[in-house]
Amino acid sequence: MAGKVKNYYAGGNTAHGFYSLFESNLAGLEKLFILKGGPGTGKSTLMKQVGHEWLKKGFDIEFLHCSSDNESIDGVLIPALKIGIVDGTAPHVIEPKAPGAIEEYVNLGKAWDAEKLAVSKNEILELSERIAESYQAAYELFHDALEIHDEWEKIYIENMDFQKANELTEDIIDDLFGKMYVNKKSDIRHRFLGAATPNGPVDFIQNLTEDLSYRYFIKGRPGSGKSTLLKKLAAVAEQKGFDVEVYHCGFDPNSLDMVIVRELDFAIFDSTSPHEYFPEREGDEIVDMYARVITAGTDEKYRTTLDDISSRYAVKMKQATAYLAQAKGLHDKLEKIYVRSMNFSVVSGIKEEIEKSIEKLAGSRLVKN
């Protein structure tokens, strides 16, 4: 029987620039292949192929998606074998812990014709510069949007009953954890459930929560305490020894969007735009922060101001997304240059070498277990 796939992001295009959470997700691996090579050298394709092959063998797989290309991935993990493969090129530079012993660099650049690339040197440099400029413009616009979002939050923060917010948090903590605890050190993984991409916002909430019996959909407004609630739940889970998946906001990584505790079979997440969902099965429940902790009539009282903020925010986000799309278009042109210079039979050989290494490592690990 085939294994299951878990999809998420370990890096994102945010209001704070490119933000990496790779280190948290690669922790504990006993073998990590770090792929080096320019755009169009087949890194994503190689990782997808290896992932799907082990999926067919019955192993659960984690795909680390690329926030800058909706069709690409940045990594693949086989948790049961403690083995992973990642794209080690900028902006997701991986710092090795034990080079050679754990991390192994794999150079896909050996498959390209350097003389052919040299002919296109000026075009490569120009495209690379324009790509960097596009990302910088996107990040500046996301930062502008965050400042507007702060205005949005301020209105609701000033109309919040903090005592009620604390009481609601305590009630939820009691419902989810009770007096349960586990006598072990928690394994905490920091990730993104979604990302700002060239195609707009994307999330994997449905995939990440599909096997869980209990899902709590937090509804509310910006500044109504959703992220604070999630941070407190994550802290309690860690104190009680449970393993926790902490999903950061793909727009502002200082905020949280979801917490999953699989040992207790639940997920609780911010279910507002751009990742708005509604209960659809038994075990789904809404937590309405606006109704519970915000002064009644706040929406109506500040309607004109809120509409203005919402409009300005949407414009900045749309402009930022356009720059991400522009960067993607330029990157596609850069890829074509490298593809013309690649010998993909060499890449196939590299893939076979990686697969043999994984097979060998898997055999020894499975025997140990």
Side-chain angles (χ1 to χ4, degrees), residues 11-191:
N13 299 305
T14 80
H16 300 285
F18 182 81
Y19 200 92
S20 176
L21 294 172
F22 275 84
E23 185 175 353
S24 176
N25 293 284
L26 304 181
L29 294 181
E30 295 179 2
K31 185 66 176 181
L32 178 64
F33 298 92
I34 302 175
L35 306 183
K36 294 289 187 178
T41 52
K43 299 185 294 294
S44 178
T45 299
L46 185 157
M47 291 186 289
K48 284 181 179 179
Q49 289 174 344
V50 172
H52 284 294
E53 284 165 9
W54 282 90
L55 193 64
K56 291 176 185 176
K57 295 176 182 179
F59 287 82
D60 291 344
I61 297 297
E62 296 180 4
F63 284 129
L64 284 57
H65 287 256
C66 175
S67 59
S68 297
D69 183 343
N70 295 77
E71 303 303 318
S72 294
I73 61 172
D74 284 338
V76 59
L77 307 181
I78 312 172
L81 300 178
K82 297 185 177 181
I83 294 173
I85 312 174
V86 292
D87 180 344
T89 57
H92 26 72
V93 178
I94 311 300
E95 292 294 337
K97 301 294 184 186
I102 296 177
E103 296 88 3
E104 178 179 333
Y105 287 97
V106 179
N107 180 19
L108 273 66
K110 67 173 69 173
W112 63 41
D113 186 325
E115 291 184 4
K116 284 185 179 180
L117 287 175
V119 174
S120 302
K121 179 184 69 175
N122 291 335
E123 188 178 2
I124 291 172
L125 290 171
E126 181 188 353
L127 284 169
S128 297
E129 183 177 351
R130 291 176 63 194
I131 290 169
E133 290 171 351
S134 297
Y135 279 119
Q136 185 57 38
Y139 297 150
E140 289 175 0
L141 284 161
F142 280 135
H143 185 267
D144 291 344
L146 181 59
E147 291 186 336
I148 295 171
H149 199 270
D150 289 342
E151 295 177 40
W152 209 342
E153 289 188 345
K154 186 173 184 290
I155 291 173
Y156 291 101
I157 290 171
E158 290 176 346
N159 287 274
M160 180 188 295
D161 187 323
F162 287 95
Q163 182 177 338
K164 287 183 179 179
N166 289 333
E167 290 172 356
L168 174 60
T169 300
E170 290 303 317
D171 288 344
I172 293 174
I173 288 173
D174 190 53
D175 288 342
L176 294 178
F177 298 101
K179 298 186 182 302
M180 293 182 290
Y181 70 92
V182 184
N183 188 24
K184 65 174 176 62
K185 181 178 174 58
S186 297
D187 180 57
I188 312 295
R189 302 288 166 155
H190 292 271
R191 300 166 174 167

Side-chain angles (χ1 to χ4, degrees), residues 258-296:
M258 179 164 69
V259 170
I260 293 179
V261 181
R262 296 190 185 275
E263 290 161 304
L264 295 179
D265 208 16
F266 78 79
I268 179 165
F269 58 93
D270 180 338
S271 183
T272 59
S273 181
H275 35 77
E276 184 174 24
Y277 294 94
F278 295 91
E280 59 186 14
R281 67 191 198 210
E282 187 178 354
D284 287 354
E285 183 178 330
I286 287 177
V287 177
D288 192 335
M289 300 294 288
Y290 181 79
R292 297 286 295 272
V293 307
I294 302 297
T295 302

